[in-house]
Amino acid sequence: MSSGPPLLPSTAYRIADLAAREEEVLRIAEKHAADRQHTRGKLTARERIDLLVDPGSFYELDRFARHRCTDFDMDAQRPYGDGVVTGQATVDGRPVCLFSQDFTVLGGSMGEVFGEKVLKVMDLAMRIGCPVIGINDSGGARIQEGVVSLAYYAELGRRNVLASGVVPQISLVMGPCAGGAVYTPALTDFVVMVDDIAHMFVTGPEVVAAVTGENVSAGELGSAEVNSEVSGNVHYRATDERDALDWVRTLLGFLPANNLDECPVYASAAHDRTDTANTEDALTPTDLALDHLIPDSPHQGYDMGRLIRAVVDDGEFLAVQERFAPNIICGFGRVEGRTVGVVANQPLHLAGVIDIDASEKAGRFVRFCDAFGIPLLTLVDVPGYLPGVEQERAGIIRRGAKLIYAYAEATVPKVTLAVRKAYGGGYAVMGSKHLGADVNLAWPTAEIAVMGAEAAVTILHRRRLRATDEAEREAVRRRFVEDYRRRFATPYAAADRGYVDRVIRPATSRIEVARAFRMLRDKRQETPARKHGNIPL
Ligand code: HXC
C-alpha cells in the first residue's frame, strides 16, 4: 500500500499536511541550518530576521516555493524556500521588506525561484513604499541553473536601480558575496559588513592567482576592514552580526519610508531648548564650550565631531563610512527632533582637505539625502582640494566634480556653517551660497578667502619680497601676512556681499542652526524638467 496522500483527502488531513510542511520548514530545516551556521560562527537566515524586526511582526512570503531545475539531479532535492527567506515586517513599528539568504540551502545560491522570490518582495516594497533590507550570505549564481541565475542577477540590479531614490535600500553582508553578486549590495544605499565571517570581492583568491599571479588571501582581497577603510564599498564595519543589525535599526530610525514620506519626528529633550527668544538663556555648557573650540593657531587641529555633537539633539550622531576618507564626516543626526544629514570637514585628518575619496563619499551622501528629502547641514573648515600628482592622475578633476554636482543639484533645505578655513575650491563646494545653500552662517573665526595668508603673500608679493633687503625680508613678509589676515581671513568680506547671512557667536550655533532649519521647513524648489542630469562618473 502506498503511504502517499489519500485519494480524497479530508479537510482535517489537509490541515495536518500544512502543519507537517510548516514543521519541515520551521523546525527540521531550521535545526539543520542552525547546526551548520553555528559551527561556522554565523546565525541562520531566520535568526537574523528575528534579531532585526519587531517580535512577531515577520510576515513571510513564498515559504513553500521550490526550484524547478532538473539538471545535475537537482529534482532529487527540492528544499522549501529555495535558499532565501523573504517577507515583510516592522522595525520600531515601521514597515520594511526583507530577504535573507540561507547559505545552508544550496549555498544560498541564486536560481530562478530564489530570484523570483527576491524580485517579488522588492516589487512589494515599491508598491507599499518601504525600505528593502537584503541579508547576503551566498555562493552567488546557482551553477546548476546556468544562465537563468545570471538573468536574475541582472533583473535584481534593474530593480535596485528602479528603487534607487524611491525607497531606502540597505544591504548586510554576513557571509560570502562574490562575483557579479557584489553588485546588488553595491547598488544599494548602505552596505554593512561583519568582521571575520564576511568577504566581498569580484574575483576570489584562486582567480586572482590564475590571472595575475598574485597570491592573496580572501581577507586581503575583501574583508570587512578592506571594504570599509580602503575601497569605501562598505558604510559600516560591524564587530558581529548583532552589532550590524543594531546599526541598521538605528539607521532606519533616521530615514523616511520612501521619497514621498517624512522622516520620523522625535520630541526634543527639554535641555535642548532652541525655541527661545533669549538665546543667552538657553545656552548649555556644551554650547558655551564651542566658544573655545577653535585653537588660536591656524595650524592646530581640533575634533569637528565636538561641534556636530553639540548641534544635534542629545549629541546623537550616526556616522556613515566613518573609516573611509575620515577627512570628511558624513552622517545623520536630528535637529529639533527632525533628521538632518551632516557633512563636515575633519581637521584632525589631512587638515580636512577634500581629496577624491572625500568628494565621492560626501557626494553620494548628499545625493541620498536630497533624494529622500533630508535637509543638509554643512560644517566647513577646509583648506581646499588636495594637491599632488597622485590625485591629479587619479582624476580629482572629474571625481572632485561629483561633490559640486551633488550640492548644486540638491533642493532640500541647506544650511552651512563656516567655522574656520573656507579656502578656494573648498569654500565654493562645501555648501556655499553660490551652489544654492539657503542659509549661510559663519563664526567670527571663519576665514573665507582664495587661500591662506602665508600662501597668498608668497604669491602676491614674491617680487617685492625678493627685492627687499634680506635682513628685513621676514619682518616685511610678516606685515604683509598680518595685513592679508586682517582684510581677507575673516567672514566679513563674504558677509559684505551677502554670501554669509549671519556671523554668529560659536556658543549660539545649536540655536542658530535650529532656527534656520525651522525657517526652511516648508521650502519648495522646482528644477527644470529633464530626463536626468549627467553627473561626472
Ligand atoms: C550552487 C553552491 C554555490 C553556487 C556554493 N554552493 N556555491 N551551489 N551554486 N554558486 C554549495 C556548495 O556546493 C556546497 O554544497 C554548499 O553550497 C556550501 O559550499 P562550500 O563550498 O562547502 O562552502 P565554503 O567552503 O564555505 O565556501 C563558500 C564559497 C564556495 C566560497 C562561496 O562555495 C564558492 O566558491 N562557491 C562558488 C562561488 C562562485 O564562483 N559563484 C559564482 C559567482 S559569479 P553542499 O551540498 O556540498 O553543502 C556570480 C555571477 C552573478 O555570482 C552575475 C551578476 C550579473
Side-chain angles (χ1 to χ4, degrees):
M1 285 287 282
S2 150
S3 60
L7 276 179
L8 264 178
S10 64
T11 298
Y13 177 90
R14 289 169 196 250
I15 291 172
D17 178 55
L18 169 63
R21 287 171 198 254
E22 277 172 344
E23 163 90 355
E24 167 63 33
V25 175
L26 298 177
R27 217 185 55 75
I28 301 170
E30 182 60 13
K31 165 85 176 56
H32 165 77
D35 290 346
R36 290 190 75 172
Q37 287 289 88
H38 294 176
T39 52
R40 291 170 182 262
K42 298 195 286 186
L43 297 171
T44 70
R46 288 179 189 279
E47 286 170 339
R48 288 164 173 168
I49 292 174
D50 286 347
L51 274 177
L52 175 65
V53 307
D54 298 337
S57 70
F58 185 50
Y59 186 82
E60 188 174 351
L61 301 172
D62 299 328
R63 180 179 279 173
F64 298 128
R66 298 197 283 179
H67 72 75
R68 301 180 278 268
C69 180
T70 52
D71 291 322
F72 300 96
D73 297 329
M74 284 279 282
D75 38 350
Q77 204 203 8
R78 296 180 65 222
Y80 285 130
D82 203 40
V84 65
V85 183
T86 61
Q88 190 264 347
T90 60
V91 173
D92 291 329
R94 304 169 67 223
V96 295
C97 279
L98 43 101
F99 62 88
S100 180
Q101 300 173 346
D102 181 353
F103 190 75
T104 66
V105 175
L106 298 162
S109 58
M110 176 144 89
E112 185 175 25
V113 171
F114 180 120
E116 286 168 353
K117 285 182 67 172
V118 174
L119 294 188
K120 185 199 255 190
V121 85
M122 289 184 73
D123 289 344
L124 176 67
M126 289 285 276
R127 283 204 301 279
I128 64 179
C130 74
V132 184
I133 299 161
I135 302 178
N136 294 265
D137 186 357
S138 163
R142 186 171 298 162
I143 297 162
Q144 299 91 324
E145 298 200 38
V147 66
V148 174
S149 313
L150 303 182
Y152 275 92
Y153 271 110
E155 283 274 7
L156 194 50
R158 190 160 68 89
R159 292 306 197 288
N160 288 134
V161 172
L162 290 174
S164 182
V166 181
V167 293
Q169 301 182 80
I170 302 169
S171 299
L172 293 118
V173 184
M174 295 185 157
C177 183
V182 297
Y183 289 110
T184 302
L187 288 167
T188 61
D189 299 304
F190 300 99
V191 184
V192 177
M193 202 170 163
V194 180
D195 264 340
D196 302 327
I197 58 169
H199 288 112
M200 190 161 57
F201 35 67
V202 172
T203 42
E206 292 84 13
V207 179
V208 171
V211 176
T212 71
E214 289 170 291
N215 280 312
V216 283
S217 67
E220 285 170 295
L221 269 179
S223 65
E225 183 183 359
V226 166
N227 275 296
S228 59
E229 293 182 23
V230 184
S231 57
N233 297 322
V234 160
H235 298 78
Y236 181 67
R237 171 184 169 193
T239 50
D240 58 29
E241 295 182 56
R242 280 183 171 75
D243 180 31
L245 295 162
D246 278 349
W247 195 84
V248 169
R249 260 199 311 275
T250 308
L251 173 66
L252 286 168
F254 284 103
L255 307 184
N258 59 64
N259 63 331
L260 301 176
D261 197 25
E262 301 267 322
C263 292
V265 180
Y266 293 77
S268 300
H271 59 82
D272 274 344
R273 278 178 60 201
T274 44
D275 56 346
T276 167
N278 187 348
T279 303
E280 297 288 325
D281 281 354
L283 297 183
T284 64
T286 313
D287 292 331
L288 291 166
L290 293 179
D291 282 345
H292 309 284
L293 183 65
I294 301 295
D296 287 331
S297 161
H299 305 298
Q300 213 176 316
Y302 60 89
D303 182 10
M304 184 62 94
R306 283 183 54 199
L307 172 57
I308 296 173
R309 287 188 297 275
V311 168
V312 298
D313 293 356
D314 297 319
E316 262 180 47
F317 179 67
L318 186 77
V320 167
Q321 285 187 303
E322 190 172 15
R323 293 159 185 257
F324 179 70
N327 37 324
I328 205 153
I329 303 173
C330 297
F332 299 104
R334 292 187 187 89
V335 171
E336 293 191 322
R338 291 162 195 270
T339 304
V340 294
V342 180
V343 179
N345 310 112
Q346 172 57 287
L348 291 184
H349 291 277
L350 295 172
V353 78
I354 298 174
D355 58 4
I356 288 170
D357 288 346
S359 164
E360 292 186 336
K361 168 180 168 179
R364 183 149 168 81
F365 181 76
V366 165
R367 296 192 95 213
F368 175 84
C369 291
D370 186 49
F372 288 97
I374 298 173
L376 285 163
L377 172 62
T378 305
L379 304 173
V380 186
D381 187 347
V382 62
Y385 275 87
L386 181 62
V389 175
E390 191 198 317
Q391 289 281 305
E392 296 291 347
R393 293 194 174 179
I396 196 165
I397 296 175
R398 170 176 57 82
R399 296 162 76 185
K402 294 180 196 202
L403 189 53
I404 303 176
Y405 193 104
Y407 267 112
E409 175 190 50
T411 57
V412 288
K414 292 184 279 191
V415 174
T416 299
L417 169 58
V419 300
R420 193 169 64 169
K421 297 169 194 163
Y423 293 162
Y427 158 71
V429 66
M430 287 296 296
S432 68
K433 186 65 96 197
H434 329 290
L435 286 186
D438 301 291
V439 174
N440 289 73
L441 307 170
W443 285 1
T445 47
E447 300 176 13
I448 303 175
V450 174
M451 60 181 72
E454 308 273 346
V457 166
T458 309
I459 293 168
L460 286 178
H461 301 296
R462 185 183 296 141
R463 239 182 264 135
R464 279 161 79 184
L465 284 171
R466 225 184 274 143
T468 309
D469 209 45
E470 210 179 323
E472 287 171 37
R473 195 175 294 156
E474 182 50 25
V476 173
R477 199 187 67 84
R478 285 249 60 84
R479 271 206 306 283
F480 284 141
V481 166
E482 276 156 28
D483 178 55
Y484 181 95
R485 281 226 172 94
R486 214 172 26 251
R487 289 166 60 191
F488 296 110
T490 76
Y492 300 108
D496 259 7
R497 289 165 174 75
Y499 301 165
V500 161
D501 301 293
R502 284 161 75 87
V503 182
I504 63 167
R505 180 183 158 190
T508 64
S509 299
R510 180 176 58 82
I511 292 165
E512 287 278 348
V513 164
R515 281 187 182 160
F517 280 124
R518 206 184 310 143
M519 175 172 84
L520 296 167
R521 207 164 278 167
D522 295 322
K523 177 189 173 189
R524 289 285 176 271
Q525 185 181 329
E526 297 294 323
T527 46
R530 59 179 169 183
K531 189 170 178 191
H532 58 71
N534 189 14
I535 187 166
L537 293 174

